[in-house]
Amino acid sequence: YFAEGAVAAMEGVMCHGEFFRWVQWHNNAFAVVEELGIPVHVVHYMDYGVDFERVVKGILDFVQLEWVGQPPPFKMLGYDDRYYSEEERLKIVKFMKVVASKRTWEEMSRYVIKYDQDAADFEAKKY
């Protein structure tokens, strides 16, 4: 089962299976915790690099533990934007948006907001 428009949106998306699996994993994770009523604390990798202590404190508060000792230094890994061209990124974002659940998109859109708007502009120019 694919969301309406997913097959068309995957056209021209390199490694579309990998992107689909990544999004579907998150779709399923959010669906399960919602169905079971399990409390969730979402942690975004990028936030570690912005405010490490706040993120760790949020995790510890969620699991009701005290901060003990010092964690090892966190080294943020960068993103190499040479993997995909601008047009490929636009197609990837469009595809991911089509297959993402509302909750998944809410969580991931912060990483792709530029490309989401560019994808909308790209589609408008295309036709």
Side-chain angles (χ1 to χ4, degrees):
Y1 163 74
F2 288 109
E4 185 175 333
V7 174
M10 75 174 63
E11 185 176 327
V13 175
M14 291 176 31
C15 308
H16 62 267
E18 296 303 317
F19 289 107
F20 177 78
R21 281 186 280 281
W22 186 88
V23 172
Q24 194 61 24
W25 186 94
H26 288 82
N27 288 346
N28 290 337
F30 288 127
V32 166
V33 297
E34 183 178 327
E35 180 68 27
L36 298 177
I38 299 170
V40 174
H41 179 76
V42 176
V43 176
H44 291 270
Y45 174 76
M46 300 293 282
D47 291 343
Y48 278 105
V50 174
D51 192 349
F52 180 79
E53 286 191 23
R54 181 186 58 81
V55 173
V56 172
K57 176 141 179 35
I59 294 167
L60 291 171
D61 288 347
F62 180 73
V63 297
Q64 300 175 349
L65 292 174
E66 297 289 323
W67 191 313
V68 178
Q70 284 299 318
F74 177 74
K75 182 176 181 196
M76 184 93 173
L77 298 177
Y79 167 75
D80 189 341
D81 63 1
R82 295 176 294 172
Y83 291 128
Y84 300 99
S85 70
E86 284 291 311
E87 187 173 334
E88 289 169 332
R89 281 186 227 129
L90 294 175
K91 289 178 181 180
I92 291 165
V93 169
K94 180 181 172 194
F95 171 63
M96 292 173 82
K97 188 173 185 178
V98 169
V99 297
S101 68
K102 182 178 182 216
R103 177 69 192 273
T104 298
W105 185 251
E106 287 169 0
E107 295 297 338
M108 70 177 278
S109 63
R110 65 190 285 188
Y111 296 106
V112 298
I113 195 154
K114 174 203 181 304
Y115 295 107
D116 185 31
Q117 182 56 51
D118 288 350
D121 294 344
F122 179 72
E123 285 303 307
K125 288 181 213 166
K126 192 173 166 183
Y127 297 105

